[in-house]
Amino acid sequence: MIEAVDVAKVYRRGRTEVRALAGVSLTVPKGEFLSVMGPSGSGKSTLLNLLGALDVAGSGSLRIDGRELSRMKDDELSAFRRERLGFVFQFFNLMPTMTALENVMLPGLLSGRGQVELRRRAETLLETVGLGGRTHHRPDELSGGEMQRVAVARALLMEPAVLLADEPTGNLDSRTGAEVLRMLREATRERGLTVVMVTHDLKAAEVGDRIVRLADGLIVGDERVVHEQAA
Ligand code: ADP
Ligand code: ADP
């Protein structure tokens, strides 16, 4: 589902060069929930930006959902991003003037999908994340956890192959954060979705199937998480 081979990224500012990723190889199978950890400056955001087709690698190969990103033109990349990827951010990034329902429908409206079907899907998704009673609330009428659940529903609207989450619990208390993670976890299991989540929080990371650790632009750890089987 995601296959990165020797992916490198150098940022140049004037005469200084920063090697943000120094050759990362990583395979994430369909349906896996991968957590990425590492100190500040280790390359986590750079990796997420490359996986999210928001930036292009300097070298190496990056295949997502069967497509080699380096061979795609800008307009193909934006279409790919809209149709195949979902994003969840630390600060939710909801449109403040829109209701929960409108926020969830937005990616579909931007892709030119029919309103009626989008509305039905958005309502179902809000129901799924436990917000069936909040569809007409605006973000300022919702709690942080509710806003993030709206963001998860929005990220799932287009049935993406891969969901990228950047510190999705970073702005939530631990109990609310755990609920949001459980929802991401369930979405992965039910839809065969692949999740890549950057987090500083080990407890959050352990909700995933696997934890990859970055340091200085390299993978320095890659372990499976052992989950207790529910009785
Ligand atoms: P992390 O997300 O783990 O904190 P980043 O991927 O943001 O790490 O950064 C990796 C390295 O690349 C850091 O040294 C950072 O300062 C540098 N960097 C990140 N983005 C840019 C940029 N746009 N221009 C220059 N340097 C950058
Ligand atoms: P985070 O690790 O919380 O995701 P960022 O990725 O935004 O944080 O930034 C990580 C590091 O990269 C910081 O040290 C920041 O100064 C640096 N950085 C990010 N974007 C740029 C940029 N456009 N130019 C230079 N440095 C950057």
Side-chain angles (χ1 to χ4, degrees):
M1 180 64 24
I2 295 176
E3 197 172 16
V5 181
D6 216 17
V7 168
K9 177 76 188 177
V10 174
Y11 291 108
R12 289 190 183 77
R13 299 182 94 206
R15 299 157 99 209
T16 42
E17 288 193 347
V18 177
R19 240 171 22 139
L21 287 181
V24 163
S25 297
L26 177 68
T27 301
V28 190
K30 178 174 158 71
E32 186 166 85
F33 188 140
L34 174 73
S35 302
V36 178
M37 300 193 78
S40 192
S42 58
K44 305 182 297 296
S45 302
T46 301
L47 179 62
L48 215 56
N49 287 342
L50 296 180
L51 295 176
L54 297 163
D55 197 359
V56 286
S59 62
S61 138
L62 185 52
R63 286 182 81 80
I64 301 181
D65 195 30
R67 304 288 304 276
E68 170 63 52
L69 298 195
S70 65
R71 298 219 189 91
M72 287 158 72
K73 301 192 193 76
D74 282 351
D75 55 335
E76 292 176 303
L77 288 171
S78 355
F80 181 76
R81 205 181 300 128
R82 267 201 319 269
E83 306 280 332
R84 303 308 297 146
L85 306 178
F87 295 88
V88 176
F89 306 94
Q90 180 172 0
F91 296 104
F92 323 130
N93 294 17
L94 299 177
M95 300 295 284
T97 58
M98 293 182 163
T99 65
L101 186 69
E102 290 164 345
N103 267 285
V104 175
M105 289 172 68
L106 189 59
L109 295 172
L110 296 174
S111 291
R113 301 297 164 93
Q115 289 247 14
V116 176
E117 200 224 312
L118 281 177
R119 172 178 289 265
R120 189 160 1 106
R121 269 191 62 72
E123 281 168 348
T124 306
L125 282 165
L126 282 168
E127 204 72 60
T128 308
V129 298
L131 292 177
R134 294 273 190 279
T135 51
H136 297 297
H137 288 57
R138 281 196 303 275
D140 66 1
E141 301 168 307
L142 298 172
S143 70
E146 288 172 336
M147 284 193 270
Q148 195 61 303
R149 284 188 272 155
V150 173
V152 168
R154 177 184 58 185
L156 295 173
L157 182 81
M158 301 298 285
E159 303 185 301
V162 176
L163 188 144
L164 302 163
D166 191 357
E167 297 279 0
T169 60
N171 203 36
L172 303 176
D173 64 58
S174 58
R175 200 175 56 89
T176 312
E179 270 168 31
V180 167
L181 290 174
R182 200 163 50 240
M183 256 149 220
L184 271 183
R185 168 85 270 169
E186 275 166 25
T188 319
R189 296 220 166 110
E190 284 162 14
R191 295 157 203 267
L193 180 74
T194 304
V195 177
V196 179
M197 172 177 78
V198 165
T199 181
H200 282 103
D201 177 2
L202 182 59
K203 274 256 165 15
E206 284 174 345
V207 173
D209 300 308
R210 176 182 170 198
I211 302 177
V212 157
R213 289 170 199 277
L214 290 179
D216 297 325
L218 289 169
I219 292 179
V220 296
D222 188 346
E223 307 147 40
R224 304 215 65 82
V225 179
V226 181
H227 292 114
E228 302 282 331
Q229 287 297 315

